[in-house]
Amino acid sequence: MLVIENLHATVEGKEILKGVNLAVRAGEVHAIMGPNGSGKSTLAHVLAGNDAYEVTEGRVTFMGQDLLEMPPEERARLGLFMAFQYPVEIPGISNAYFLQAALNEIRKSHGQEELDAMEFQALLQDRMRLVAIDSSFAGRPVNEGFSGGEKKRNEILQMAILEPRLAVLDETDSGLDIDALRIVADGVNRLRSPDRAMIIVTHYQRLLNYIVPDFVHVLFEGMVVRSGGKELALELEAKGYDWVKGLGVESGSGLALAQS
Amino acid sequence: MSESVQSISKTQYLADVAQAAKSPGPKWLLELRKAAAVRLAELEFPNRRQEEWRFTNIAPIVNTSFRSMVERLAIDLRAADIEPFVFREEGWTELVFVNGFYQPSLSRIAAASTNVRCGDLTAAAGSVVEHLDRYGANGNIFTALNSAFLAGGAYVHIPAGQVMEHPIHLVFVSAGRSENTAAYPRTLVIAEPQSQAVLVESHVHLEGNVPYFNNSVTEVVVKENAHVHAYRIVQEGASSYHLSTTKVHQAAASVFKSFAVTLSGKIVRNELSVLLDGEGADCSLQGLYLTGGDQLVDNATAIEHAQPRCTSWIGYKGVLDGRSHGVFTGKIKVRRHAQKTDSKQLNNNLLLSDEAVINTKPLLEIFADDVKCTHGATVGRPPEEVIFYFKSRGISEAMAQGMLTCGFCDALLSQMELEPVRQRLDNVVFERYSPI
């Protein structure tokens, strides 16, 4: 579904990603862990198409297409979704209106009928139950005045409505207390399916107790330095990030493992 | 150069005023006109060397000799003509004025379940009309001009303790106007102690493209503990000029809330001044201006805190497109005696084109020492990260801009309590900016 090869990217002239390789297939959940500044969020934003990040080298193929050639809205219509670490507030636009517009843009691009307000309401109510969000969210302006936890849950609600093929969750656990974390994780788990892949970007192992990944990759100084199964997260938790600083890049890490 | 041009149009006005003075009316009206004519002769039209007019070029108005419509035009409007402008809501009173003159046949007065009196200003009682020109009208040439030509208008008198259940809508229609004619809409509102009322003042037009001039004056007297909510909608013709002066006088513990919306007109200037002249008075002035083409729209708000413990809020928003020019001023004066003043203002502008311009400025004159006064202004486009958020959900930039513009307006319109007005304005915004 997604193949990242030798990806290099800079922010304001500074190289953050220095040759990332990763392959993700349908149905898989990959966790990307790493210390602050390792490039985790940069990777998420590069995949989503944020033009504050410049790709200087490498290729990304998504659903057989050259992802890097596509503007962000086309990536989204093709089934890529990023849950933001810091979702923006949009005063004056209700959640329901925003999501209906987004869903209909995606549907139109696939030649599907747009949902009218009634049909969309029904879908929205259903998905709000699925991710345990109060129905008052629908009428509130997008993220305005939401608590940190509410913003993160709102991202998961958007994912539940837009039903992406690949979801990239950028530090969705940051700033959440244990109860909020559990609610978010439950929502994500309900959205796991054989034809959907997920990339969970996180600093802490904690989230992975609730969303159990198939693969764990450690990102350090812009490269995947180690890949493994879910036990790698526990090892990392036990040894701390100082441990990875001593690791070299395993040959073909990430790419080789996922393709094996 | 401009001075001599000014005097030509003023000479014309003065000649017309002399003519207007002969048209009959009650004694108070003749005296009011006479006093205004004296002021008119003494005053000069403003120019851009004056701080209040620095960004607002009204030369096209000042340099044209508008002929004053002191007589009722023999124009036969039908109910259907004004249908788009009235609300016809159950219980509402709607008074229609054509070129400033009351038209009873087009008006609808709700069943008289209250003691509220309203109608043609020239037929109002002496205790009502004695308020005319009392509240800071001196020194303003445009109010002098309005009073000198006064021959009609609206009055609303809400007796003490009367809580009105339904709004009164004053509809000022420009119709059948020939080129370069001036009309003088006039409104006087007296809310007696403990009374409550909701008013809507609309300025609308029937013709397409005639350059006409409306010079409107509204005076609102809000007595002790009275509450007045005032909505004002300016929707003038594309080639027309609209200058308005609204003077509000508030007594102790009174509340005045206004929403002023400008939708069209070639040059529009709305001057709104409030005097907080009693302890604990509260005023809120909110507004929205939507501009395009080569429009000039100026909202000059001013609040004077004359007594302690008053609160005021000014919140205006603008969406500017094309080569249009917006001006916003929020002037706050706090007198020495007005301690514990709490005043806030905010002006947010969305520029949809590179050629649109907005001049926004707060003017604070504070003579008391125990006050809270804050102000802020924003000008620009939505931040990149907001646009990216839309794109990341499959929504194109053009569509995001449209949705954000609607949302920008809606954040203000959603605060309007008067549902039919809000609904109508929502529709205007939606039709103008919605991408869907």
Side-chain angles (χ1 to χ4, degrees), chain A residues 45 48-50 72-73 76-77 81-82 84 87-88 90-93 97-98 101-102 105-106 143 155 158 162, chain B residues 384-386 388-397 399-400 403-408 410-411 430 434-436:
Chain A
H45 278 269
N50 188 339
E73 60 270 32
R77 292 169 193 163
F81 177 91
M82 176 171 76
F84 283 64
V88 300
I90 311 176
I93 297 181
Y97 181 56
F98 177 74
E105 285 305 289
I106 292 170
N143 293 325
E155 294 290 290
Q158 294 186 13
L162 301 180
Chain B
E384 277 302 313
E385 74 232 42
V386 171
F388 175 62
Y389 194 73
F390 278 84
K391 287 183 183 171
S392 78
R393 299 299 181 249
I395 298 171
S396 69
E397 178 154 359
M399 190 165 168
M403 289 173 72
L404 283 164
T405 305
C406 289
F408 177 84
D410 190 56
F430 190 82
S434 175
I436 297 172

Side-chain angles (χ1 to χ4, degrees), chain A residues 198-209:
Chain A
M198 294 188 189
I199 296 175
I200 316 277
V201 173
T202 180
H203 186 84
Y204 300 104
Q205 186 270 336
R206 190 175 72 147
L207 178 65
L208 306 180
N209 290 335

Side-chain angles (χ1 to χ4, degrees), chain A residues 219-254:
Chain A
L219 198 64
F220 181 65
E221 291 187 344
M223 285 186 278
V224 175
V225 294
R226 180 145 301 196
S227 294
K230 59 177 184 274
E231 62 288 343
L232 180 57
L234 295 168
E235 191 180 359
L236 204 55
E237 178 82 351
K239 295 181 178 171
Y241 278 119
D242 280 344
W243 169 59
V244 300
K245 291 176 186 168
L247 296 174
V249 183
E250 283 182 334
S251 108
S253 192

